[in-house]
Every structure is written in C-alpha cells, then in structure tokens.
Amino acid sequence: MTLGIAIVLTILIIAIVLFITEWVRMDVVALLVLSSLAVAGLVTPAEALSGFSNPAVITVWAILILSGGLARTGVANLLGRKLLQLAGDGEIRLLVIIMLTVGVLSGFMNTIGVVSLFLPVVLDIARRTKQPPSKLLMPLAFAGLLGGLNTLIGTPPNILISEALKEAGLRPFRMFDFTPVGISVLLAGTAYMVLIGRRLLPNRDPAREFSTAREKDFKSLYELHDRMVMLHLPEGSILDGKTLAESRLGSVLGLNVVAVIRNGRTQLSPESAFALQAGDRLMVEGRLEQLSELHRTNHLRLEKEGFKVERLVSADVELVEARLSPGSSLVGQTLLQIGFRHSYAVVVLAILREGVPFRTNLETIPLLGDDVLLIQGHRDQLDELTKDPDLTVTAPTSLGDYRLEERFMVVHIPVDSALVGKSLVDSRLGDSYGLGVLGIIRAGETYLMPSADEVLLADDTLLVKGKQSDLMSVEGLQSLEIENQPPPDLGELESEEVGLVETVLSPHSTLVGKTLRELNFRFKYGLSVLAIWRGGRSYRSNLRDNPLRFGDALLLYGPRKRLRMLGSEPDFLVLTEEAQETPNQEKIPVALLIMAVVLIPAIFDWLPIAISAIIGVALMILTKCLTMEEAYRAINWKAVFLIAGMLPLGIAMEQTGAAQLLANGMVGLVGGLGPLAVMAGFFILAALTSQFMPNPAVAVLLAPITLSTASDLDISPYILMMTVAVSASAAFLSPVGHSANVLVMGPGGYRFSDYLKVGIPLTLVVLAVVLLIMPVFWPF
C-alpha cells in the first residue's frame, strides 16, 4: 500500500464516520474531503474543483428546477388526483394506483418532490376512505424510490454512474437504458406491498382530521384531551384587561389557550392581542405542574427600595458607551443574530437611538448606524471591545438619557421560593418573567454579571432589568383557578372559521434546528402548535423550546385563513389539499412541451442531457412556469455541494490505486463464486451503505471500485454499474436512508422498526429481481 492510497483511505474512513455520526453536515463533510485531497496533493486544484462543473452535477440541479416547474404548474398533482379518483375506496386498488403513479412520475421528477406533492393528496384520500394513513404513506415513499430507477434522470446515482462511465471512456447510459430493470423492480415492489408489505404496515392514524359530517378524533395518538383543562379568571385579578401575550401564560406556564368562554360565548383560537376579562373561562392545553408550583409559593418579591445605577459598577465591572459607525458590519443585524453577549462577553443594558432609549427586548431590535449601546462588562473584556473596528467605545456621557430606573428593579428571593437551589439558566427568569439578572446581592456582597450556572440562594437580592408589568403579570397567574369540571369535547373546537390541521417541514425548509420560541411562531403565523409527532410518539408540553426536526408532524390550531396562508409558505407542507397553494394550471401544456424539448434531444443523443436540461430550465423561467426565486428554492443545494465535493474523492481513488486495491478485495471475497455473486455483493454493499450515507456519495465512491472489479473479472462494466445505481437507491431500511422516508414518518405515525419490518423483505425482492432480470438486458 502506497502513501497516497493510505491517505485516500484515511480520508474516506473519516468521511464515512462523519456521515454516520452526523457530527458535521454532510455538505460540509464533502467540502472538507475536497479540501483535504487538494492540500495533500492527491488531486490538482483543477481536479478538486471539477465537481462544480461536472455535467452530472449540472444535470442534478437542472432536473430539480424542472421538477419544481412541473410541481408549480400542477402537472403531477392533477394527474395524481385524476388517477386516485379512479381507484375508489378499495385498499388494494388504491395502493396499486398510488405506487404506479408515483413510480412513473419519479422517473422524470425529483423523488422527494413527487412524494411532497402526493402527501396531502394521499392523506385526504385516506381520511375520505377512513383508511389509516400508515397503510398508504410508506408505500408512497417507497414507490418514489423505486420509480426513480426508471430513467437516467430519475435519481442522482443514475446520473453519476452514467457520467463515471463516460469519464472512463465508455458509452454512458442513455435516457431509457434503466427502464426495463426499473419497471421490473417497480412492478415487483408494488406486488410485494399488495401481497405482503401492507400486512406488515402498522395500523396508526396520528392525524385523523375531522369534518362536520363525522367524528373528529385526535385523541388516538396526540391524546390532547389528557392535557386539556379549564381555568377561571376571578374578579380583581391583575390579568383583567391584559392581552394573552402580556399574561405570559405561554412563556411562564407553557400553556396554549385554545378557547376563551365569556358570557356563554366561545372565542376559538384567540389571537395573542385578545384582552382577558375577569370571569373568563380559559380552555388551555399543556401541563399544569408549573401553575400548581406557582400557587404554592411566591417566586419573587419586588423590593420597595429604588434602583441605583451605581450598583452596576464595581472595581472590576464598568459601564461604557459603544457607538455604531454608519458603515459598521453590525448595522441591520440584531444582538441575537450577532451573538453579541457570547462574542464580546458583555451585557447590553440599553440602546439609545436619536435620543430615545430602548431598554427591553433588545435582542430582537435591528441595529442602525449611530446607535449608542450602553454596555456593562469586565474591564479586560471592555479593553478588547475597544479594538473592534465596528464600534467606537467611550465613557458614558449622561446615564440619565437612558432612564434606566424605569426598567431596572430590585427583587428578593423568599426562603420558600421554588427558585432556591436553581441556577440562573434553570430558573428561566428571562423566559418566564422577562427579567435579565445583572447582579446578585448576597450577605452584603454584590456580585455583578453572574454566570448562567450561578445557583440562587434563599434571601438573595437580584438586580434585574425588565418591566414591572411583566413581573406583576406573573403574580397575576397565581390568581388563576383550576376548574374541576371537564373541558368541552374536542369536537367543539372547530368551526367554519377555526380548524385543526397537520403540517410537516418541507424538504427545503430553513427552520430545521430552530425552536418555536426563536421563530416567534404564534405571533408570526397566528397559529398554536398543540402537539408534535416525532419518532413514533407525540409531544404535548415544553414545545416552545424543542428544536424542530425534518420529519416532525406539527398539529396546528387556529383560523382557517391562517392555515391556508401557511400553505403558501415554502418552509411548510400543510397536509391537506384545502390549504395548498393554488397551482398555475394554465401553464400545464407549456410545462409538458418544455419537458418534451428536454427529453427528445437526450433520447436521440442530439444533445447531452445536461445541456438540454439547462435549456429546459431557461424556458421554464422565460414562460413563467416558475419564477427565478422559485427555481433557486427548488434546488437542493446541500445535495449539489455534496456531489461536487465528493467527486474529487473518486478521482483520487482511481489515480492513487485505492479503487484497484478495494476492487481486488471484492474479487478475492466473492469473485470465485461467479458474476452473479459479484453483482449480489455490490448490491448488498451499496444498499447497506445508503442507509447511513447519502446515495449520491455511495455512487461516487463505488463507481471506480466497480469499474476496476469489472476489468479484473473481464465482465461487462454496464451490469455492475447499473447494479450499483439501483442498489444505491434501495434505501428502504431506515427513515434516515432517504428524505422521502423521513417526510412520511410523522404523518404516518411510523417508528424506526416499521421501516426495518417492511424494508428488509422489499430489499430482498429488489435484489432477486436485479439478479434475474438485469443479465437478460445487460449480459455479462
């Protein structure tokens, strides 16, 4: 083994570990691979960057845009609806129509795009026919994966394998070279799901939506009724006249106000600006432990003594002013976006803008040029701050301009407070009370700028920043009375104006990893998240701080007009056709004509598929089938960077001899058992690795090994290369194997084990079909 081979295999192993563990994003892993190969001198700079101009990469993003055009014009949706109407109510007939329709469309459109389009349609049909969605959604996802094998442009592995043949000096696969094997696999997979697979699918319905004509029941899996309770707002309560937002019911107690009953009339899904009145009965959803704890003790007591600014300064802590220059890079950003406190290790007490002070909610205020920040910090940190070119740091000229005494308070922690023994971060003083702790007075000593891990003790006095009204509102929550009588039936929660609906994050969502609190979800969208279905179970409490994941199903409640507006948001896929964005159906003939312009030259080898696809993209935009913004949104940039970054690894494996070394290992392992055994070996290897690695990366890595193995055994490279392409897309064994699997996991109520139970036999069926059919069309 040469040094070059050792370095390449080391990079390969590290990349595989990172793909499996997901410690680093997969597109970043690909860029690290590219950089490492170039730095090590295993590829030239031109070869390292060649992936970004590779025809396969260009074809992938162009096909994604074309798929977006077909989706935006409603071609697939219209065809799917018509065919599914013909299917009637029979489970078997419906299953066959879904799988064959999705399978055929996936040959010409992006798989995840087709599954996204059909997901609301199939769910509506499941509700209409009273069939559990779990019986239909996994077949929908698997049909998309199987159907992608029908054409050259069906999946990225097909395109990458074909391009690898071309770069090796061999004839690349043509548009319909995959079709005989692909159709056979699709038909066999459909037969398996009809005869065996559907019996292995779970019988779950996490989103049984109801209509006025039939019972509405979310209790089966979301179990909402267990968390519904009635609260009463008594006379004389501090909350009388406060809005829901000001009451802090959500931030302090984690409760969703589903309805307010006033004088016998019910206000469903009240807005955050809805004003409470004494005598109101509030139907809320969530845990009541925090309310019970609030009833038992006084958490904080406002001290009568006034706040003195001098308390914010000590021998080590000072106050300074920092002015933003008009050209500062911080202009337009919020303190939260900048990560100001983390980056500079100081606290912004106030912002002075044109003589007007801002002292609360500073984290979300976009900064402007000439803003003056009043900052508290340790001297060494302030010395570092003076070196920042974006800020001009000086001593405060007039602290009176900030009127700090209006927003700064002194509060005391009673002996019986539930905050005793909790750290500042665990106390949630910021989230619950809207307070920022600037200092702690303990046993006569003042400790300024305490760390988040500082533990609160009985009789501590806190120097805090916030609104007295927020503190009073929290005290007002103690007046809420829990009613003993059960809440109204869930079926009464919907009307013509208000409804319940499920949504999932779209494949191109930018919200993964963000919390509902960070998104300010209820204020921004006017909807309440009642529950989240994730990984086979529902979550109904502490949702505000739970980072969203791709595949989560969110149960939303609110005005129907808001639900319909959410359907036009690119970050969400609302799981009912009623809320879908209206397609541009008058452009359907144009979109179909453009696809013909793309496919016909590629079929007859008049133009490379990459060139004809780019022509199609330009025509889609020129004819307004979709806008340029929608075209950019349709591209899965993560996949583009992944493929472009991994392609140089294939070059390095070929040039260093690493591919030949691994091929020799494959030949030594199964070569003596015959060509069919070699095919089976590559199929199993690619199918297994695609469960935890992106299938384009699997195709890139196995292509050079496959070509070397075919050469060593003196058999046709085409049959082995097609085997790798087919098996790389056979990601049926886990939800993380493909985005389509994750997308249906929440709405279908699936667990990880469900994919194994149904996916293992399906993988064996596909393997058997490949071994039987492929040699007929692609002899050894």
Side-chain angles (χ1 to χ4, degrees):
M1 181 185 295
T2 66
L3 178 61
I5 292 176
I7 296 175
V8 168
L9 294 181
T10 300
I11 293 173
L12 172 61
I13 292 170
I14 293 173
I16 291 174
V17 170
L18 292 177
F19 280 135
I20 295 173
T21 59
E22 296 183 349
W23 290 336
V24 181
R25 285 172 48 127
M26 66 180 187
D27 45 352
V28 176
V29 172
L31 294 179
L32 290 173
V33 168
L34 180 156
S35 305
S36 302
L37 294 171
V39 170
L42 298 175
V43 294
T44 66
E47 289 171 334
L49 301 175
S50 62
F52 292 97
S53 62
N54 189 284
V57 176
I58 293 170
T59 303
V60 167
W61 63 252
I63 293 300
L64 289 172
I65 294 177
L66 292 172
S67 297
L70 292 177
R72 186 67 190 89
T73 56
V75 173
N77 207 10
L78 181 63
L79 176 62
R81 266 203 319 271
K82 295 295 183 185
L83 290 172
L84 290 173
Q85 286 172 3
L86 296 175
D89 297 343
E91 179 184 352
I92 293 177
R93 190 175 175 186
L94 189 58
L95 192 63
V96 170
I97 293 292
I98 289 173
M99 293 196 68
L100 293 183
T101 304
V102 171
V104 171
L105 288 173
S106 292
F108 301 95
M109 293 179 63
N110 173 245
T111 297
I112 188 68
V114 176
V115 175
S116 299
L117 284 173
F118 273 76
L119 185 54
V121 180
V122 172
L123 279 171
D124 278 348
I125 290 175
R127 292 158 188 154
R128 175 175 55 80
T129 60
K130 299 184 179 180
Q131 294 193 46
S134 59
K135 292 291 186 181
L136 300 175
L137 294 186
M138 192 179 292
L140 168 67
F142 287 175
L145 297 176
L146 293 170
L149 307 174
N150 288 328
T151 66
L152 173 64
I153 61 174
T155 65
N158 293 3
I159 299 170
L160 292 166
I161 288 294
S162 180
E163 188 62 27
L165 286 170
K166 182 179 179 180
E167 292 180 355
L170 300 169
R171 180 186 69 81
F173 288 124
R174 296 189 178 94
M175 179 63 65
F176 294 111
D177 282 349
F178 289 87
T179 304
V181 175
I183 289 293
S184 302
V185 167
L186 176 60
L187 292 175
T190 303
Y192 158 76
M193 291 304 300
V194 168
L195 298 174
I196 301 173
R198 67 186 180 92
R199 305 179 194 279
L200 302 176
L201 289 167
N203 188 17
R204 302 192 192 107
D205 184 359
R208 193 177 304 153
E209 196 174 52
F210 16 91
S211 67
T212 55
R214 56 191 168 83
E215 181 184 3
K216 303 175 177 182
D217 181 18
F218 277 97
K219 290 181 272 188
S220 57
L221 273 130
Y222 282 114
E223 299 172 351
L224 290 181
H225 209 282
D226 294 344
R227 296 287 170 82
M228 291 288 185
V229 71
M230 297 299 300
L231 301 178
H232 178 254
L233 188 65
E235 297 289 339
S237 172
I238 297 173
L239 299 182
D240 187 5
K242 299 279 188 183
T243 66
L244 282 177
E246 293 169 341
S247 74
R248 308 187 76 82
L249 271 163
S251 59
V252 177
L253 303 179
L255 299 177
N256 273 317
V257 180
V258 177
V260 176
I261 301 175
R262 177 181 297 167
N263 299 325
R265 300 184 62 182
T266 301
Q267 173 67 48
L268 297 175
S269 186
E271 299 279 348
S272 57
F274 181 87
L276 298 172
Q277 290 183 11
D280 282 349
R281 300 175 64 221
L282 281 62
M283 184 178 181
V284 299
E285 183 261 339
R287 291 180 179 272
L288 293 181
E289 287 88 342
Q290 292 178 348
L291 178 59
S292 300
E293 187 178 89
L294 201 64
H295 279 159
R296 286 198 301 270
T297 63
N298 288 318
H299 288 245
L300 292 171
R301 186 175 67 239
L302 182 65
E303 294 289 294
K304 294 181 180 179
E305 62 175 301
F307 183 91
K308 295 181 176 60
V309 177
E310 293 78 13
R311 285 185 165 185
L312 299 178
V313 180
S314 68
D316 185 46
V317 177
E318 293 183 350
L319 300 181
V320 298
E321 288 181 327
R323 182 181 295 273
L324 274 72
S325 60
S328 170
S329 63
L330 305 181
V331 172
Q333 299 187 71
T334 66
L335 297 176
L336 183 63
Q337 291 170 332
I338 298 168
F340 199 92
R341 180 160 189 171
H342 176 76
S343 300
Y344 297 97
V346 296
V347 177
V348 179
L349 301 179
I351 298 175
L352 191 65
R353 177 176 296 169
E354 297 180 353
V356 179
F358 296 84
R359 295 146 303 185
T360 54
N361 301 318
L362 302 182
E363 294 286 309
T364 58
I365 298 176
L367 299 177
L368 301 180
D370 291 327
D371 277 353
V372 179
L373 312 182
L374 180 63
I375 294 174
Q376 179 194 42
H378 293 282
R379 284 183 176 175
D380 53 348
Q381 299 298 336
L382 295 177
D383 289 341
E384 289 295 320
L385 194 67
T386 59
K387 302 174 185 178
D388 193 302
D390 288 312
L391 299 168
T392 302
V393 180
T394 60
T397 54
S398 176
L399 291 175
D401 293 341
Y402 295 96
R403 304 201 296 275
L404 297 180
E405 66 280 358
E406 297 177 8
R407 288 290 183 267
F408 287 66
M409 300 172 284
V410 180
V411 297
H412 181 71
I413 299 181
V415 176
D416 61 347
S417 172
L419 298 177
V420 173
K422 291 184 178 180
S423 67
L424 283 175
V425 66
D426 292 334
S427 70
R428 299 179 68 247
L429 285 171
D431 295 336
S432 298
Y433 294 82
L435 303 178
V437 179
L438 305 175
I440 299 176
I441 303 174
R442 180 179 295 160
E445 295 288 332
T446 301
Y447 304 91
L448 296 178
M449 298 185 66
S451 69
D453 297 326
E454 182 70 33
V455 176
L456 298 173
L457 302 179
D459 288 325
D460 276 351
T461 297
L462 309 182
L463 307 177
V464 300
K465 177 180 68 170
K467 295 180 180 180
Q468 287 192 23
S469 58
D470 287 341
L471 187 59
M472 299 297 288
S473 293
V474 175
E475 293 180 7
L477 294 176
Q478 294 176 313
S479 66
L480 289 172
E481 301 170 353
I482 302 174
E483 295 186 358
N484 291 325
Q485 63 185 88
D489 186 75
L490 288 174
E492 300 176 15
L493 293 184
E494 286 199 311
S495 67
E496 291 184 1
E497 292 79 26
V498 178
L500 286 151
V501 74
E502 267 198 322
T503 185
V504 295
L505 297 185
S506 74
H508 308 299
S509 178
T510 59
L511 307 183
V512 174
K514 296 182 179 179
T515 65
L516 297 175
R517 184 192 300 276
E518 290 172 339
L519 297 175
N520 202 4
F521 190 91
R522 181 157 188 171
F523 178 79
K524 181 177 181 180
Y525 298 105
L527 300 168
S528 298
V529 180
L530 299 185
I532 296 177
W533 180 269
R534 173 185 295 162
R537 59 161 294 190
S538 64
Y539 295 84
R540 294 154 294 169
S541 56
N542 300 320
L543 301 181
R544 291 162 55 89
D545 298 307
N546 203 337
L548 297 176
R549 300 179 189 172
F550 182 58
D552 285 349
L554 281 63
L555 180 62
L556 304 179
Y557 179 65
R560 294 190 186 277
K561 63 179 181 180
R562 295 274 192 172
L563 295 172
R564 285 190 287 270
M565 289 170 61
L566 192 70
S568 61
E569 289 284 335
D571 286 308
F572 296 98
L573 180 61
V574 182
L575 302 183
T576 176
E577 283 191 280
E578 176 190 358
Q580 294 300 301
E581 187 177 10
T582 304
N584 194 8
Q585 291 190 355
E586 65 270 15
K587 295 290 184 180
I588 287 179
V590 178
L592 292 176
L593 181 61
I594 291 172
M595 285 304 295
V597 170
V598 171
L599 296 176
I600 291 173
I603 293 170
F604 292 102
D605 287 334
W606 296 341
L607 285 175
I609 182 61
I611 300 300
S612 65
I614 289 176
I615 293 172
V617 167
L619 292 175
M620 282 281 190
I621 295 167
L622 287 173
T623 57
K624 298 183 179 180
C625 289
L626 76 171
T627 65
M628 199 69 211
E629 289 72 24
E630 290 170 334
Y632 283 129
R633 195 191 306 155
I635 299 174
N636 185 346
W637 291 107
K638 185 183 293 187
V640 170
F641 276 83
L642 168 71
I643 298 169
M646 293 300 292
L647 281 172
L649 182 57
I651 296 173
M653 290 176 65
E654 186 65 36
Q655 293 181 349
T656 60
Q660 185 62 54
L661 178 67
L662 296 175
N664 292 340
M666 177 64 79
V667 171
L669 186 64
V670 295
L673 302 177
L676 281 177
V678 175
M679 280 182 63
F682 273 109
F683 184 99
I684 294 170
L685 178 61
L688 291 178
T689 50
S690 67
Q691 306 308 318
F692 54 81
M693 283 178 61
N695 55 15
V698 173
V700 169
L701 296 179
L702 291 185
I705 302 173
T706 305
L707 289 171
S708 297
T709 302
S711 176
D712 291 346
L713 295 176
D714 195 26
I715 61 178
S716 169
Y718 293 101
I719 189 169
L720 291 186
M721 292 290 273
M722 187 170 287
T723 298
V724 169
V726 171
S727 53
S729 297
F732 310 121
L733 304 181
S734 75
V736 297
H738 195 278
S739 299
N741 293 347
V742 183
L743 188 62
V744 301
M745 189 177 186
Y750 298 121
R751 300 185 175 96
F752 194 97
S753 58
D754 295 326
Y755 289 87
L756 284 174
K757 192 186 305 180
V758 182
I760 289 176
L762 179 57
T763 303
L764 296 176
V765 168
V766 175
L767 172 60
V769 171
V770 167
L771 295 179
L772 289 173
I773 300 297
M774 197 173 292
V776 175
F777 296 96
W778 300 94
F780 293 106

